[in-house]
Amino acid sequence: MSASAAVETESQPSIDVDSDVVIETRNLGKIYRDFWGRKKVAALKSLDIEVKKGEIFGLLGPNGSGKSTTIKLIQGLLFPTSGRAFVFGKDARDVTKNERIGYLPEESYLYKFLNAEETLDFYARLFDMPAGERKERSDRLIRMVGLHQARRRQLREYSKGMTRRIGLAQALVNEPDLLILDEPTTGMDPIGSREMKDLIIKLRDEGKTILLCSHQLADVQDVCDRVAILHQGELRELGRVDSLLKVRDVTEVHATGISDETKEKIAELIRNDGGQVVSMDNPTTTMEELFLDIVQDNRPGSRPTAN
Amino acid sequence: MRIEKDQMLSYFEWLIFNFGLLQGAIVAVALSLLGFVVCYLVSMARYGPSEAFFHVTRVIYELLARDLPGTSIRRVYALARLAFQEAIRRRVLVIMAVFIAVLLFAGWFLDPAADNIAQLYISFVMTGTSYLILLLGLFLSCFSIPADMKSKTIQTITTKPVRSTEIVLGRIFGFTAVGTVLLVSMGVLSYVFVIRGIEHRHESGDIASDGMSGETSYDASHAHSFEMSGDEGTTDEQKGHRHLVTRTGDGQYVIGSPEGLLNARIPVYGRLAFTDRGGNPGIGLNVGYEDEYQKYIEGTSLMSAIWTFSNVQPSRFGGGDTLPIEMSLQAFRTLKGDIVTGVQGAIILKHTNGRVESERIPFIVKEFSVDQKEIPRKLSGSRDGEPVELDIFDDIVDEDGKLEIHVRCTDPGQYLGMSAADLYLRAGDSTFGWNMFKGFLGIWMQMFLIICLGVMFSTFLSGPVAMVATMTCLVLGFFGSLAFDVATGDTPGGGPIESLIRIPTQQGAMVDLDLGNPVLEKTIKIVDNGIMYTLFSVFKAIPSFGQFNTSDYVAYGFDIFSGLVARHLTMTIAYFILTSVIAYFFLKTREIAAA
Ligand SMILES: Nc1ncnc2c1ncn2[C@@H]1O[C@H](COP(=O)(O)OP(=O)(O)OP(=O)(O)O)[C@@H](O)[C@H]1O
Ligand SMILES: [Mg+2]
């Protein structure tokens, strides 16, 4: 199998166009090569995932585990070394799929000499939008991401979080059905990341599909319906967030204002019931624990890994 | 200034018979094959032989079936606008300041006392403009896409429904727009600069006692004398111009602006043939210069140079009271002769049937300048040997509008040299401003080509490398004709392989290669021809930039005929298509995020 296969369009994905599956990767792999064609890094190995319509899908993994690579393969920014990726039933390298996609890259790669309005106007033009619509959209989006006071300032003057916000607005300019977000909350202030999460959930409720990757595990736990955890280019865990976290038969008790006596009583109660008190500290984020376990190889991934 | 034979062809002659369609088609096919092979090899290195073929054809299919039909004007416009804004942000307007500064300080190195001041000024501004504009095009086009790749801003573009065609076209058009804005401003400034540069006035100086002639004051390094007829008059010609002189009511003489400096002569060129010493059709003599540009005829022999002009009608020559002929012939002396008067010759107008001819119109060669002759419509001559009075347009021009002009050298032992462009009929004048516009259009086309090449190279090379590649094309293009000789294959001693064999075996270039093995010799010849033809195609494919530069026409006061402009535009469009397709291929097959 070779990269040229990625241009083929005859062999259709197993899904048909109006089915529930928005993104499908089949045996997707990427090896970065240097100029002379020598192998440098196997960034992604044989990935099979399906993202369904109307869900928020999270990609997790430590630095360099292949999250951004996966996203770029799905967008056609990279050509796979093996396997294929489909979006809306179209090959990842078909540009027409982009009509329905909004993409926020790792860093907002925007033209620094444009101001917020010009930026949105420019990207809206790329969707072949007439002038009136462009104006209306960019006004609304600038207000939505809270940049209306900085709308006439060049992006070079923007702070990191402001750049992230205009990047998000840019990704939403075509009212996409699929939103791909590469670390959406980095650089955002707490209110910003709260708003971002609310927005993601709101969009999901409108029936849009969201693929995101993030290091903010709490955020992921808050918003994602399903997650895939990558480690060194391999898929190690895939499933619904609630069931993934429920696998571990742990009950958490959150309470304030109870005395040590009461705590002891509760422990007593559990023991009487045949249970066992594991810990009774301030609770850690369970997502984080799951993540750390997988990444530190304390626990074999529940999925068979390739190779 | 030197006009090559093929530059005199009309547009359709060129398109259909010469260099145009036919050769263009051959070159296009050869290049497409070459392009295909290169792309195939590149793909093969990546994916193996069978996949590669599939890969390349797939890209071609994608271009024709999807990306070209999917290309949207609005997206191209948006991208072009972005490229424009980017260029402005990179402070290209500084170039304008440089240009203005150059014009301001031009006085230091332009000699206002020069004989051909208009030519000097025009050459100066046009050369200056073209250097600045070409440099600008080079820098803008070569660095833009690589910079976008590096800053990754291109990723935000390609994840929109943007076709590779649109990225390529957007860049080309955007930068061309920047260049056009600058070029137009420079053109306007240049025009004003030239007009103001040649402008000078004289006061009236000494006036003769009858008031009918006089001298002007000495200004701009010269003075004129003038003759009056009534209240109006003209000065003599100095440094290529005259002034009108008018006498006002109170007896003052007012001397007007210089006239005749800014010309746009419309020449009508003819086809040149020669007769040999016996008066039979033949070729002219070569007096031993390497350059075969001009041929010579011998004095007091039957040798003559015959120009045949078509479509000679009174309406083309301002009503036809006279037939204006202009010539600039070369003299070649074999003896000192009469050094004061110069070599003499004669013009005879002839009917194509050879039975009607005018009397001899003698002239003395003015070397290195244009000799203007106004031949009166009515003149004496002969029909079938009988002396008659003739009318040029009624009697000597034939039914098809053809006219022959014969030139002979009447100085014994001396020679006259000429090429087809050295004698022409002057069919009036175009306006100088319009001609200058056409000259600037030539610079514009050069700029456009450079932008196309730069954008093409920058789709797969880094900025500096793309610039070197473009400059290589540019240099090869400027010396296009030179490279052409190398590539036409008319070299004694054979192609590269044959020559390599001849050197160690010490075989002379004039004898056939002899290796004692006919099959081997044949193979070498075929391979050599293949190599030569490839070289030929490659050189042919490089636009000969020099050719697009028509500023000499403007400077020397010749109208740039529209056939030439049309031809250059055709070539420009052809190169534009070629470079865009190649740029498309490389952009399409490039992994945007792997850079
Ligand atoms: N252009 C490239 N050339 C070579 N190797 C690359 C390139 N881009 C990424 N890699 C390598 O591929 C692997 C996966 O990188 P990727 O960017 O997908 O990681 P990531 O999961 O997004 O990490 P992070 O959390 O830091 O964003 C890394 O080992 C990285 O070094
Ligand atoms: Mg990343």
Side-chain angles (χ1 to χ4, degrees):
Chain A
M1 196 68 182
S2 80
S4 69
V7 211
E8 291 170 39
T9 33
E10 285 91 36
S11 100
Q12 285 302 313
S14 53
I15 47 173
D16 59 282
V17 182
D18 41 27
S19 89
D20 264 2
V21 181
V22 175
I23 299 175
E24 184 190 3
T25 69
R26 264 195 265 144
N27 188 32
L28 192 65
K30 177 70 194 173
I31 297 173
Y32 285 105
R33 293 178 189 278
D34 67 5
F35 179 77
W36 307 105
R38 285 178 308 202
K39 182 171 166 173
K40 268 205 313 204
V41 196
L44 191 66
K45 297 169 198 156
S46 169
L47 179 72
D48 288 285
I49 52 171
E50 280 184 1
V51 177
K52 302 222 170 53
K53 187 171 184 315
E55 73 175 345
I56 302 175
F57 190 96
L59 271 179
L60 307 186
N63 294 131
S65 58
K67 304 181 298 291
S68 297
T69 303
T70 308
I71 286 183
K72 286 172 187 165
L73 284 166
I74 288 170
Q75 303 258 13
L77 286 172
L78 289 174
F79 306 157
T81 338
S82 70
R84 296 183 67 179
F86 298 97
V87 183
F88 297 120
K90 290 177 179 168
D91 187 274
R93 287 180 66 185
D94 186 342
V95 288
T96 55
K97 73 176 194 311
N98 294 345
E99 301 272 3
R100 298 167 64 191
I101 301 181
Y103 172 47
L104 176 65
E106 297 150 278
E107 287 157 39
S108 306
Y109 303 127
L110 304 171
Y111 290 95
K112 300 252 189 300
F113 56 90
L114 299 177
N115 65 32
E117 277 180 349
E118 288 165 342
T119 303
L120 293 186
D121 186 68
F122 169 65
Y123 289 107
R125 273 176 206 268
L126 297 185
F127 287 99
D128 223 343
M129 264 177 229
E133 207 176 330
R134 291 203 300 271
K135 180 94 185 71
E136 179 267 318
R137 290 262 170 103
S138 71
D139 279 351
R140 186 160 52 75
L141 286 170
I142 286 173
R143 206 156 288 280
M144 190 190 93
V145 296
L147 287 175
H148 42 277
Q149 265 140 2
R151 59 194 301 158
R152 293 271 156 72
R153 283 167 64 189
Q154 288 196 346
L155 299 199
R156 68 170 76 253
E157 300 169 7
Y158 274 26
S159 71
K160 193 171 176 192
M162 289 163 85
T163 317
R164 214 70 198 128
R165 283 163 191 260
I166 186 72
L168 177 69
Q170 163 276 130
L172 293 172
V173 82
N174 58 329
E175 300 191 333
D177 295 327
L178 168 63
L179 198 58
I180 299 180
L181 308 169
D182 200 339
E183 302 186 15
T185 50
T186 41
M188 292 262 201
D189 57 29
I191 300 170
S193 68
R194 178 79 256 161
E195 284 170 356
M196 175 73 88
K197 284 187 278 183
D198 290 346
L199 176 75
I200 291 171
I201 291 169
K202 181 177 142 253
L203 289 172
R204 191 260 323 266
D205 293 343
E206 288 169 10
K208 317 227 153 149
T209 313
I210 288 119
L211 171 68
L212 62 86
C213 72
S214 178
H215 292 293
Q216 309 295 325
L217 297 171
D219 295 351
V220 172
Q221 189 179 355
D222 284 352
V223 300
C224 287
D225 300 316
R226 287 202 304 150
V227 291
I229 300 183
L230 292 175
H231 183 45
Q232 291 174 355
E234 287 172 21
L235 180 64
R236 300 297 290 271
E237 192 69 78
L238 175 73
R240 291 197 62 78
V241 172
D242 40 17
S243 59
L244 273 183
L245 298 182
K246 222 189 279 172
V247 188
R248 319 186 73 208
D249 192 13
V250 175
T251 312
E252 269 187 327
V253 177
H254 298 255
T256 50
I258 52 170
S259 63
D260 284 350
E261 269 170 54
T262 326
K263 277 190 195 165
E264 190 48 46
K265 272 186 202 155
I266 296 169
E268 186 87 41
L269 200 66
I270 294 170
R271 273 195 292 274
N272 289 346
D273 235 27
Q276 187 194 353
V277 179
V278 185
S279 76
M280 220 153 159
D281 285 343
N282 300 338
T284 48
T285 322
T286 40
M287 195 58 171
E288 192 171 326
E289 271 180 10
L290 172 72
F291 182 82
L292 289 175
D293 274 354
I294 291 173
V295 181
Q296 287 161 358
D297 277 343
N298 291 340
R299 167 183 175 279
S302 59
R303 287 172 56 91
T305 49
N307 202 342
Chain B
M1 186 177 124
R2 159 172 160 173
I3 296 176
E4 303 285 352
K5 205 184 257 165
D6 80 300
Q7 292 187 16
M8 298 172 7
L9 301 170
S10 81
Y11 180 63
F12 289 102
E13 277 176 323
W14 170 78
L15 192 65
I16 295 164
F17 301 113
N18 294 278
F19 288 91
L21 272 192
L22 189 65
Q23 204 154 6
I26 295 173
V27 170
V29 169
L31 270 181
S32 317
L33 282 178
L34 196 76
F36 190 87
V37 168
V38 169
C39 298
Y40 179 77
L41 289 178
V42 170
S43 312
M44 195 170 80
R46 285 187 197 152
Y47 317 121
S50 55
E51 291 275 357
F53 181 78
F54 185 71
H55 188 78
V56 177
T57 41
R58 167 64 59 184
V59 174
I60 296 168
Y61 166 79
E62 290 251 328
L63 171 65
L64 297 177
R66 292 155 180 259
D67 286 346
L68 222 42
T71 297
S72 122
I73 307 278
R74 192 178 268 134
R75 277 194 290 265
V76 173
Y77 172 74
L79 289 164
R81 211 174 86 128
L82 185 83
F84 189 94
Q85 285 170 313
E86 183 199 323
I88 299 296
R89 184 194 57 98
R90 282 211 234 155
R91 311 221 195 302
V92 294
L93 296 179
V94 170
I95 293 238
M96 209 57 218
V98 171
F99 185 70
I100 292 171
V102 167
L103 289 189
L104 288 179
F105 292 109
W108 288 358
F109 38 87
L110 289 182
D111 174 16
D115 279 341
N116 41 7
I117 182 144
Q119 196 176 314
L120 192 71
Y121 273 56
I122 296 167
S123 295
F124 172 74
V125 286
M126 293 194 74
T127 313
T129 309
S130 73
Y131 277 127
L132 284 177
I133 285 288
L134 299 194
L135 222 63
L136 173 86
L138 189 68
F139 274 96
L140 282 183
S141 60
C142 290
F143 288 98
S144 171
I145 291 183
D148 251 15
M149 293 268 183
K150 203 166 174 188
S151 70
K152 299 188 179 168
T153 39
I154 193 142
Q155 295 187 14
T156 326
I157 305 273
T158 49
T159 46
K160 302 283 180 275
V162 172
R163 275 70 171 173
S164 300
T165 44
E166 289 160 343
I167 297 180
V168 171
L169 294 180
R171 295 286 147 157
I172 292 180
F173 293 159
F175 296 141
T176 306
V178 178
T180 309
V181 168
L182 288 175
L183 193 59
V184 167
S185 337
M186 288 185 186
V188 171
L189 282 179
S190 296
Y191 183 78
V192 173
F193 179 77
V194 169
I195 297 288
R196 291 203 42 180
I198 59 158
E199 171 69 15
H200 62 271
R201 290 297 175 103
H202 299 274
E203 304 291 318
S204 60
D206 298 338
I207 308 290
S209 49
D210 62 356
M212 293 311 279
S213 65
E215 302 263 313
T216 69
S217 62
Y218 186 86
D219 285 298
S221 315
H222 67 281
H224 300 263
S225 59
F226 60 84
E227 302 272 331
M228 303 295 291
S229 56
D231 282 345
E232 303 235 317
T234 52
T235 66
D236 62 351
E237 187 174 317
Q238 293 285 339
K239 293 182 189 289
H241 68 274
R242 297 167 188 276
H243 300 263
L244 276 181
V245 185
T246 44
R247 188 164 43 200
T248 56
D250 52 355
Q252 294 288 316
Y253 291 84
V254 180
I255 294 153
S257 300
E259 284 176 15
L261 271 176
L262 301 176
N263 299 309
R265 286 167 276 191
I266 301 177
V268 176
Y269 290 110
R271 220 174 282 282
L272 176 61
F274 291 93
T275 57
D276 63 14
R277 289 194 179 93
N280 305 311
I283 51 170
L285 299 174
N286 188 334
V287 293
Y289 296 128
E290 279 281 312
D291 200 327
E292 293 181 340
Y293 180 56
Q294 275 156 332
K295 293 284 194 242
Y296 288 77
I297 54 173
E298 194 184 14
T300 57
S301 74
L302 286 176
M303 285 194 98
S304 54
I306 306 166
W307 276 270
T308 312
F309 295 93
S310 330
N311 198 12
V312 183
Q313 284 154 0
S315 56
R316 284 180 87 184
F317 301 97
D321 292 339
T322 57
L323 183 69
I325 296 181
E326 296 194 2
M327 52 188 183
S328 52
L329 305 180
Q330 291 283 306
F332 180 79
R333 294 159 195 267
T334 54
L335 61 152
K336 205 169 85 183
D338 184 353
I339 201 96
V340 184
T341 30
V343 177
Q344 301 175 17
I347 297 173
I348 304 160
L349 309 185
K350 264 197 184 178
H351 194 278
T352 48
N353 65 14
R355 288 166 48 209
V356 184
E357 64 179 66
S358 75
E359 62 185 352
R360 289 178 164 218
I361 304 155
F363 65 87
I364 293 166
V365 173
K366 279 194 197 170
E367 280 185 84
F368 311 115
S369 69
V370 178
D371 191 5
Q372 307 185 351
K373 291 236 169 301
E374 304 255 322
I375 311 227
R377 180 166 181 162
K378 308 270 185 214
L379 75 179
S380 43
S382 62
R383 172 175 282 129
D384 296 324
E386 300 289 319
V388 279
E389 284 299 306
L390 296 171
D391 176 303
I392 294 181
F393 293 103
D394 294 343
D395 300 323
I396 309 184
V397 175
D398 75 6
E399 310 73 54
D400 303 331
K402 283 206 165 61
L403 171 69
E404 282 186 8
I405 295 184
H406 292 229
V407 168
R408 294 211 176 141
C409 179
T410 52
D411 232 343
Q414 313 287 40
Y415 292 79
L416 281 182
M418 63 276 293
S419 68
D422 290 341
L423 186 149
Y424 54 84
L425 310 178
R426 182 173 177 177
D429 277 70
S430 173
T431 51
F432 172 74
W434 173 236
N435 205 33
M436 193 154 169
F437 172 79
K438 288 192 277 192
F440 272 89
L441 192 61
I443 299 179
W444 184 88
M445 287 189 271
Q446 284 184 318
M447 172 198 81
F448 185 66
L449 283 178
I450 285 182
I451 290 175
C452 288
L453 282 173
V455 168
M456 179 185 89
F457 283 121
S458 71
T459 53
F460 61 99
L461 297 173
S462 70
V465 184
M467 197 169 92
V468 170
T470 312
M471 267 164 61
T472 309
C473 283
L474 202 73
V475 170
L476 285 178
F478 268 123
F479 302 108
S481 54
L482 194 89
F484 212 75
D485 287 341
V486 180
T488 45
D490 293 332
T491 42
I497 299 179
E498 194 178 325
S499 328
L500 268 185
I501 295 170
R502 279 178 195 270
I503 294 169
T505 56
Q506 303 198 338
Q507 299 191 26
M510 288 302 147
V511 294
D512 275 346
L513 186 68
D514 180 16
L515 297 174
N517 182 345
V519 181
L520 186 62
E521 285 162 20
K522 187 94 191 143
T523 321
I524 289 175
K525 281 222 155 51
I526 292 173
V527 174
D528 267 353
N529 281 340
I531 297 176
M532 301 291 273
Y533 193 77
T534 314
L535 278 181
F536 175 78
S537 311
V538 169
F539 281 119
K540 205 52 193 148
I542 296 166
S544 36
F545 285 95
Q547 210 190 92
F548 289 86
N549 187 351
T550 44
S551 57
D552 269 359
Y553 283 79
V554 185
Y556 287 83
F558 285 98
D559 180 53
I560 303 168
F561 32 103
S562 29
L564 197 63
V565 177
R567 183 201 307 189
H568 289 165
L569 278 172
T570 312
M571 286 165 72
T572 307
I573 291 170
Y575 284 120
F576 161 63
I577 294 172
L578 191 76
T579 46
S580 325
V581 169
I582 296 177
Y584 167 83
F585 180 88
F586 281 110
L587 202 59
K588 182 89 181 171
T589 53
R590 183 165 178 176
E591 273 187 295
I592 299 291

